[in-house]
Amino acid sequence: MTDGAGDVGKVRGWVRAARRIVVLSGAGMSAESGVPTFRDAQTGLWAKFRPEDLATEDAFRADPKMVWDWYAMRRAMVAKVEPNAGHRAIAAFQQRHPGRLTVATQNVDGLHQHAGSPGVLALHGNIAEDTWLEAPRACCTDANLLPGTPPRCAVCGNLRRPAVVWFGETLPPEVLQAAQDAALASQLMLVVGTSGVVYPAAGLARATPGRVVVINPQASDLDAVADAVLRGGAAVLLPQLLEEHP
Ligand code: OAD
């Protein structure tokens, strides 16, 4: 457990000493931006659904419009929020120390990118982007795109789908490999705002040879592998850890 300021001071020392740092972030990273965390996001007309029942290829094939509308609601919500002080502290650190800190995120909200972080490894994709449901054919081009919910190819009927990793799907291999490489080359991993229950993302914290620091107001599955646990919010703690006070 943390004793508050003492542990923050200790971890600040680890940040200064680390040549390579990885930030592994989850939904809690965006909580202070007003984005509900993944596991408590289902409200209103979507309350009767579990994300696990909507964010799957089977659900999309069974009812493309319903799943497309769910993502449209989430896209509208994400479009209204801004990066918080935690996202900005990470981006500012990367600006001051090019190449020293890598962000690997489970979030699809694009807020690290919006805050200016370069080279974000979006393990679960990006909700603002679309891809094709079936492997695209020569006819599947923007010119042949028929608007709709979802849009489709006017020639072959191939559907557009959100460019996010659905349950049961594999992560983009090159992104996962880059995250694994960054973890193995790091001396410090800050695990921010994740319950740590979804693999292979959570596995990065177990594979890294360096120190692990969990930043989370609640207990998480990765506390057990942490060298320090800081009980608090990302937008409060990350500026304390990353800003170089005079
Ligand atoms: P969860 O909703 O499982 O966990 C969010 C974590 O953030 C919890 O442990 C909260 O305690 C913590 N938290 C809440 N507010 C916070 C704050 N202000 N600062 C720091 N932490 C805070 O979301 P994830 O762990 O990100 O995968 O979920 C991982 C994956 O599970 C998601 O990417 C999604 C889902 O399956 C896919 O969609 C493939």
Side-chain angles (χ1 to χ4, degrees):
M1 283 303 286
T2 174
D3 61 358
D7 271 8
V8 168
K10 178 174 72 176
V11 174
R12 275 176 61 83
W14 292 352
V15 167
R16 277 197 302 277
R19 286 186 319 284
R20 303 292 296 273
I21 301 170
V22 170
V23 169
L24 172 64
S25 67
M29 178 78 227
S30 301
E32 285 146 296
S33 293
V35 180
T37 64
F38 195 87
R39 285 176 172 74
D40 60 24
Q42 294 305 93
T43 55
L45 70 150
W46 300 102
K48 57 182 179 293
F49 294 100
R50 289 183 324 135
E52 290 80 343
D53 300 329
L54 290 167
T56 71
E57 184 178 332
D58 288 348
F60 183 72
R61 287 184 183 280
D63 191 339
K65 178 171 183 347
M66 179 181 71
V67 175
W68 183 267
D69 287 349
W70 181 55
Y71 276 94
M73 175 277 289
R74 291 176 62 204
R75 283 170 168 169
M77 178 175 64
V78 165
K80 286 198 291 258
V81 298
E82 290 296 321
N84 60 53
H87 296 105
R88 292 197 301 271
I90 292 170
F93 185 94
Q94 291 174 299
Q95 194 82 28
R96 291 194 307 271
H97 304 283
R100 194 167 150 211
L101 187 153
T102 301
V103 173
T105 187
Q106 300 170 88
N107 299 339
V108 297
D109 57 31
L111 287 177
H112 283 298
Q113 297 89 325
H114 189 178
S117 279
V120 174
L121 300 173
L123 298 166
H124 294 163
N126 190 326
I127 201 168
E129 293 161 16
D130 290 337
T131 185
W132 292 102
L133 178 62
E134 312 295 353
R137 303 172 183 87
C139 56
C140 299
T141 61
D142 286 353
N144 289 333
L145 202 56
L146 264 185
T149 54
R152 67 186 62 225
C153 171
V155 176
C156 71
N158 197 1
L159 298 179
R160 294 294 274 172
R161 53 158 285 182
V164 297
V165 174
W166 278 335
F167 288 94
E169 292 186 326
T170 54
L171 277 60
E174 69 289 350
V175 177
L176 179 58
Q177 186 61 59
Q180 287 165 336
D181 294 347
L184 291 176
S186 68
Q187 289 78 42
L188 178 64
M189 180 177 287
L190 305 178
V191 178
V192 187
T194 181
S195 53
V197 299
V198 169
Y199 284 75
L204 294 168
R206 295 176 184 276
T208 187
R211 288 189 175 115
V212 174
V213 177
V214 165
I215 295 168
N216 195 324
Q218 312 287 331
S220 84
D221 268 30
L222 295 174
D223 292 2
V225 299
D227 298 280
V229 175
L230 302 181
R231 283 281 174 256
V236 171
L237 285 170
L238 284 170
Q240 291 176 8
L241 296 177
L242 297 176
E243 282 165 3
E244 273 125 8
H245 303 304

